[in-house]
Amino acid sequence: MFTENLFTRILDLEDGWVVESVDTDFSKEEISIQIVCLSEQLEDTQTGELCKIYDHAPARKWRHLDTMQYKTYIKCALPRIITSQGKVKTVQPSWASGYERHTFLFEHAVIDLLQASKNQTKTAQIMRCGFNVVNRIMHLSTKRGMERRNYTELVFDQLSV
């Protein structure tokens, strides 16, 4: 019980979300944190409507920051809500985006390490993940940064072709 409460606090989960169990595989040096949603209703982020939980999507797994020397994974069957129009939507968790297989904190650590090392291969070795994971995180981060730029006030004085 202490471990579950500790991880619930450390992960800073939203109200209604709790760590149900923490399993350790000593042979693989991995920790799996099982998160569940205890709420009966959740908000539709697009409309702000409070919707009833319809069912749960199949369980997914995200890579999180290491706990000591152990790789840490978050597992959760995300709830699906039903809107007043009858549309069923999967709730997006606060710890990850879209269909990525890593958490925001893991992504942030990879980006910080990439900025320091300027080397994707070394970053992948240090973070104990694949090169493709680091490369994908780098491209997603760049895409988000480019989307935040404001080009409306940009004036070109010269153009070279």
Side-chain angles (χ1 to χ4, degrees), residues 1-57:
M1 189 64 167
F2 169 77
T3 307
E4 288 81 2
N5 288 335
L6 174 68
F7 276 104
T8 298
R9 299 270 312 219
I10 289 173
L11 292 171
D12 195 25
L13 298 175
E14 297 172 335
D15 290 338
W17 295 80
V18 295
V19 172
E20 182 180 54
S21 65
V22 178
D23 300 315
T24 307
D25 186 337
F26 294 104
S27 63
K28 292 182 181 178
E29 292 189 345
E30 292 181 356
I31 295 175
S32 294
I33 302 168
Q34 182 70 43
I35 295 177
V36 295
C37 179
L38 300 177
S39 300
E40 293 180 9
Q41 293 183 329
L42 292 171
E43 183 179 319
D44 181 359
T45 55
Q46 292 176 335
T47 64
E49 174 187 9
L50 197 60
C51 302
K52 185 177 179 183
I53 292 181
Y54 177 72
D55 65 0
H56 289 79

Side-chain angles (χ1 to χ4, degrees), residues 50-102:
L50 197 60
C51 302
K52 185 177 179 183
I53 292 181
Y54 177 72
D55 65 0
H56 289 79
R60 291 181 50 199
K61 183 166 99 170
W62 297 266
R63 175 70 192 276
H64 192 54
L65 296 173
D66 290 353
T67 304
M68 305 288 186
Q69 72 272 22
Y70 290 83
K71 287 184 181 179
T72 304
Y73 296 92
I74 293 177
K75 293 181 179 181
C76 182
L78 295 174
R80 298 189 323 151
I81 56 173
I82 186 161
T83 65
S84 56
Q85 290 81 29
K87 187 174 181 182
V88 177
K89 298 180 179 181
T90 303
V91 173
Q92 292 302 312
S94 61
W95 59 84
S97 70
Y99 293 97
E100 298 304 323
R101 293 182 179 180
H102 51 269

Side-chain angles (χ1 to χ4, degrees), residues 63-66 102-111 127-129 133 137:
R63 175 70 192 276
H64 192 54
L65 296 173
D66 290 353
H102 51 269
T103 64
F104 290 130
L105 289 174
F106 183 81
E107 185 174 311
H108 189 73
V110 167
I111 292 166
M127 294 303 290
R128 296 189 301 164
C129 64
V133 173
I137 288 172

